[in-house]
Amino acid sequence: MSSFSNRVTRLFGIQYPIIQAGMIWASGWRLASAVSNAGGLGIIGAGSMYPDVLREHLQKCKAATNRPFAVNLPLLYPEIDKLIQLLIEEEVKIVFTSAGNPKLWTSFLKERGIVSVHVVSSSKFARKAEEAGCDAVVAEGFEAGGHNGREETTTLVLVPAVVNAVTIPVIAAGGIATGRQMLAAMVLGAEGVQMGSRFVASEEASSHINFKKEVIRSEEGDTQLMMKQLTPVRLLRNEFSRQVKEAELGGATVEELKNLLGRARAKKGMFEGDLLEGELEIGQVSALLDSILPAGKIVGEVWEEFMNGLKNPLKIS
Ligand code: NDP
């Protein structure tokens, strides 16, 4: 048992400050409980779950681990009040909110004793999250997969900026999949890391095997931030992203882009495995991944590399 302790491990009651992101279509109870059982913080991504599906995942997660786990709630979710009610009923203890204003629900959650963390892409939003009463923020940089900030600030710049802007703990995200990347983020002042892409390529992720294989096959330059007129999102290049690019270069209107996107594109790509027509959300760091591993092994390897790096941080020849 490691004796490592900082504000993030104490806030969540976990062993290592390694947090699995609540990616839609990838992070169900199997992944969350595996990460939590390995000493990190597993998160159930509620964004792609109807309320009854989320309830089932919460109950299965509680049966699969005695350790703390969290739920990620994108605030633009259509039935947010139903999901919040469900989190209270199921006695969820930690909630990560994203994609919306933290003022909306943070006090409500805090009054019920729930640890609340908000995902931000700028120091301005980080200050708002602190003012709203959040216990910590996730500072997610440009490299991240899926929904992304409009300012395009990279993790290397964002993390120290957010660390300077707030007094609550900062968890770094975007472009982190290894122990040395974790070390770099912690040197910049982060007190924990959140990893998404690394856990998409895990055995327990609920995403389709075609998508997982495509993630580990991808190379540098294979992802791109697109659809900035709607909601900026980082996607793997495929036939669908080619069509989006063509439309954007051709000056497509917001309405035309919405029509091209249609409904449930993300489900089609990441859950059903349609690599041509589906939306494939993943971060730049997928270029560094070459294996699909058990989630517990990922946590162990990242922690070991982090600790070894801490003893010998520089490569001097
Ligand atoms: P779409 O509007 O294209 O489709 C909705 C999808 O969400 C469908 O696949 C649907 O499943 C599923 N879904 C789950 N619960 C509900 C509900 N209560 N009402 C309607 N649909 C529901 O949305 P997207 O696929 O682009 O995004 C889905 C969600 O994920 C959104 O809440 C969005 O904010 C979030 N998201 C978060 C990201 C992040 O990085 N944090 C990235 C991308 C999306 P079914 O097909 O079975 O009906």
Side-chain angles (χ1 to χ4, degrees), residues 22-25 46-51 53 72-80 82-83 98-99 119 140 145-148 231-233 261-268 270-272 279 281:
M23 308 85 67
I24 59 165
W25 301 118
S48 48
M49 295 179 183
Y50 286 98
V53 176
N72 174 261
L73 210 53
L75 293 171
L76 40 76
Y77 185 89
E79 295 178 284
I80 187 92
K82 278 196 194 156
L83 287 198
S98 56
V119 183
E140 187 183 79
H147 285 189
N148 209 301
T231 308
V233 62
L261 181 61
R263 189 176 173 283
R265 276 274 182 189
K267 181 182 183 188
K268 190 181 233 194
M270 299 188 282
F271 199 62
E272 294 170 354
E279 187 181 351
E281 299 177 6

Side-chain angles (χ1 to χ4, degrees), residues 9 51 87 121 188 217 225 250 253 266 304 316:
T9 59
L87 300 184
S121 56
L188 293 175
R217 187 212 54 77
L225 193 68
T253 62
E304 193 185 340
I316 301 172

Side-chain angles (χ1 to χ4, degrees), residues 50-291:
Y50 286 98
D52 55 334
V53 176
L54 177 60
R55 191 187 295 278
E56 190 186 328
H57 279 264
L58 290 172
Q59 291 176 352
K60 286 186 170 162
C61 199
K62 282 187 266 186
T65 184
N66 291 324
R67 301 208 180 178
F69 68 90
V71 170
N72 174 261
L73 210 53
L75 293 171
L76 40 76
Y77 185 89
E79 295 178 284
I80 187 92
D81 42 349
K82 278 196 194 156
L83 287 198
I84 298 256
Q85 194 49 44
L86 181 55
L87 300 184
I88 308 291
E89 280 168 30
E90 291 293 331
E91 300 179 351
V92 170
K93 297 191 171 52
I94 308 168
V95 172
F96 281 48
T97 52
S98 56
N101 186 344
K103 277 195 184 144
L104 288 175
W105 289 101
T106 303
S107 336
F108 181 88
L109 295 171
K110 296 280 303 168
E111 279 158 19
R112 283 151 187 83
I114 296 174
V115 172
S116 301
V117 181
H118 192 63
V119 183
V120 300
S121 56
S122 71
S123 333
K124 188 174 119 192
F125 291 150
R127 276 192 291 268
K128 279 193 177 176
E130 184 167 45
E131 281 162 22
C134 288
D135 297 291
V137 284
V138 176
E140 187 183 79
F142 177 69
E143 298 92 323
H147 285 189
N148 209 301
R150 291 193 177 277
E151 299 85 355
E152 305 194 355
T153 310
T154 60
T155 303
L156 200 65
V157 174
L158 182 67
V159 169
V162 172
V163 167
N164 285 341
V166 297
T167 59
I168 51 178
V170 176
I171 296 159
I176 302 169
T178 70
R180 282 208 164 248
Q181 288 172 318
M182 175 175 178
L183 180 60
M186 304 284 269
V187 168
L188 293 175
E191 292 175 64
V193 291
Q194 181 172 271
M195 305 191 301
S197 303
R198 176 60 278 194
F199 286 113
V200 168
S202 71
E203 287 177 4
E204 293 87 346
S206 60
S207 32
H208 198 281
I209 186 66
N210 293 354
F211 177 47
K212 294 183 191 181
K213 285 185 176 165
E214 194 64 2
V215 167
I216 59 169
R217 187 212 54 77
S218 68
E219 295 172 358
E220 269 177 68
D222 278 351
T223 72
Q224 196 176 358
L225 193 68
M226 315 195 86
M227 289 188 280
K228 291 185 207 165
Q229 287 186 74
L230 299 177
T231 308
V233 62
R234 180 173 297 285
L235 300 180
L236 257 183
R237 290 180 204 273
N238 68 350
E239 173 54 24
F240 169 64
S241 79
R242 192 197 61 72
Q243 289 170 18
V244 173
K245 191 170 184 179
E246 196 175 284
E248 289 184 326
L249 288 173
T253 62
V254 168
E255 218 41 52
E256 284 166 343
L257 281 176
K258 274 189 189 164
N259 286 338
L260 177 58
L261 181 61
R263 189 176 173 283
R265 276 274 182 189
K267 181 182 183 188
K268 190 181 233 194
M270 299 188 282
F271 199 62
E272 294 170 354
D274 184 339
L275 299 181
L276 281 180
E277 295 293 337
E279 187 181 351
L280 306 177
E281 299 177 6
I282 205 74
Q284 283 186 345
V285 80
S286 59
L288 299 185
L289 305 177
D290 57 10
S291 54

